[in-house]
Amino acid sequence: DRLGYKRASIVSDLASGVTVLMIPLLYQTVGLAFWQLLVLVFLGSILDTPGGTARQSLFPDLAERAGIQLERANAAYNATRRVAGLLSPPLGGLLIALFGPSSVLWIDAATFAASAGIVAAAVPSVVHPRRVTATSGLRRYAGEVAEGYRFIRRDGLLLWLMVTFSLSGLLAEPLYAVVLPVYANEVFGNALDLGLIFAALGAGSLVGNLVYALVGPRLPRGGVVIGGFAVRGLAFWVLVSIPPWWVIAAAIFVSAALFEPINPQMMTIMQERVPADMRGRVFGTYVALGAGTFPLGILVYGFLLDGIGLANTLLLFAVVNTALPLAMLAMPALRDM
């Protein structure tokens, strides 16, 4: 909000690219200790996140200049991210096989410079110039950040959406990080089936975005959000019976296709309700609180898998993720959005 979103995006990309660049540079010169790698990865994550927030903050102004409905623009935005997510693992593996991991990190660092260059050249400088005056002092900065929290707290719909997505990060998202890998190891005994399940997840997410781009503006918002959570909760019950991989892949595909429209819908709601000069603080708050519950969920499900076993963890997982959309139905702000 202080720098302006275009400038923040460029600075973030360049700074994050430097942290990636330092990995092969240190490795090929003075040597790279493991603690140094951890520090660079940590700094890269810190520096990369504000750039993503800045680009999301720019997006509604760009969509307005292009004359595109927010729902369709946001669906296209999410679809490109899903395509990148589908292509990047095989592309990365191919590049590593051809050039080696060190050389690929040089390429990776160059992509940050390319991103910064694209934003610098293609995004008009007149789109959302800086509107918050920079002030000195940690206390003043903390007060400005707190404004983002207060804005969400005053807006009942945004507050309940943030609570819901934070709970989703705790209760559902660890499925892909910890539960399914353990499932694949204990039940399938190989990584190929897990890879196919994740491919179904990516394909379903892409289909969901494309369908939403076509019909999203005509759909009831409460139905999109609560219906997506409900279908995902029901799909998770398939896991309880320990079926073969293709049954899980089919369930994950359907779940992702119907859940994914929630993301562009959520972006649209926030863009409509948050003033342009507060997007950085409000969007950043939402991302921070949503991401904060995810590692906690990984830890909790890791303990559960160790303590009560895979079958009981899957049953508990299905129960809590079915309860979440039922609780959402009891919240008028969500049901009637």
Side-chain angles (χ1 to χ4, degrees):
D1 288 338
R2 288 180 175 188
L3 290 173
Y5 301 143
K6 176 178 177 177
R7 186 184 303 174
S9 175
I10 295 170
V11 170
S12 175
D13 273 343
L14 293 177
S16 194
V18 169
T19 65
V20 176
L21 186 68
M22 290 299 296
I23 297 173
L25 185 62
L26 288 174
Y27 178 74
Q28 294 174 359
T29 54
V30 298
L32 178 68
F34 183 61
W35 70 265
Q36 293 171 321
L37 177 64
L38 292 179
V39 170
L40 289 171
V41 171
F42 181 75
L43 287 175
S45 295
I46 287 178
L47 297 168
D48 192 38
T49 304
T53 303
R55 285 185 286 278
Q56 285 201 26
S57 300
L58 274 171
F59 202 68
D61 294 328
L62 295 173
E64 182 180 0
R65 287 173 65 92
I68 304 173
Q69 283 183 291
L70 276 178
E71 288 90 347
R72 290 194 168 92
N74 289 326
Y77 178 92
N78 280 278
T80 58
R81 294 177 61 202
R82 294 304 181 186
V83 170
L86 281 172
L87 295 181
S88 58
L91 178 60
L94 177 63
L95 290 174
I96 288 172
L98 291 174
F99 305 113
S102 227
S103 298
V104 172
L105 284 170
W106 290 100
I107 298 172
D108 190 15
T111 65
F112 282 94
S115 175
I118 290 170
V119 173
V123 174
S125 297
V126 296
V127 175
H128 187 74
R130 182 180 62 190
R131 296 178 186 172
V132 176
T133 303
T135 54
S136 59
L138 182 60
R139 180 175 298 179
R140 177 58 186 160
Y141 171 76
E144 290 173 352
V145 172
E147 290 178 7
Y149 288 86
R150 287 194 294 269
F151 184 89
I152 293 175
R153 190 179 61 197
R154 290 193 299 266
D155 189 306
L157 176 57
L158 292 184
L159 176 63
W160 281 114
L161 282 172
M162 188 180 69
V163 169
T164 299
F165 277 80
S166 296
L167 286 174
S168 177
L170 174 70
L171 300 176
E173 296 306 319
L175 171 71
Y176 309 108
V178 64
V179 178
L180 279 179
V182 171
Y183 189 108
N185 184 55
E186 293 188 10
V187 178
F188 305 140
N190 66 81
L192 176 59
D193 293 341
L194 180 63
L196 293 171
I197 291 171
F198 277 116
L201 171 67
S205 298
L206 180 57
V207 168
N209 274 301
L210 294 176
V211 171
Y212 183 80
L214 294 174
V215 300
R218 299 195 295 271
L219 297 175
R221 294 182 171 186
V224 169
V225 175
I226 299 178
F229 274 95
V231 170
R232 187 177 70 169
L234 293 174
F236 287 159
W237 281 97
V238 171
L239 298 167
V240 175
S241 62
I242 316 292
W245 74 266
W246 62 268
V247 176
I248 297 176
I252 293 293
F253 176 86
V254 173
S255 167
L258 294 175
F259 185 83
E260 185 64 27
I262 293 176
N263 291 319
Q265 181 71 89
M266 179 64 183
M267 288 176 63
T268 301
I269 291 171
M270 292 188 69
Q271 291 160 357
E272 290 174 346
R273 300 175 78 90
V274 179
D277 59 345
M278 287 195 67
R279 289 178 192 150
R281 282 165 285 174
V282 176
F283 291 6
T285 298
Y286 169 78
V287 171
L289 294 179
T293 58
F294 178 57
L296 177 60
I298 292 176
L299 187 64
V300 168
Y301 280 111
F303 276 116
L304 287 172
L305 288 164
D306 259 354
I308 64 176
L310 177 63
N312 290 325
T313 300
L314 289 172
L315 179 60
L316 180 61
F317 176 81
V319 169
V320 295
N321 279 285
T322 305
L324 181 57
L326 294 176
M328 293 170 69
L329 279 171
M331 304 172 191
L334 296 181
R335 187 178 63 244
D336 303 328
M337 74 177 76

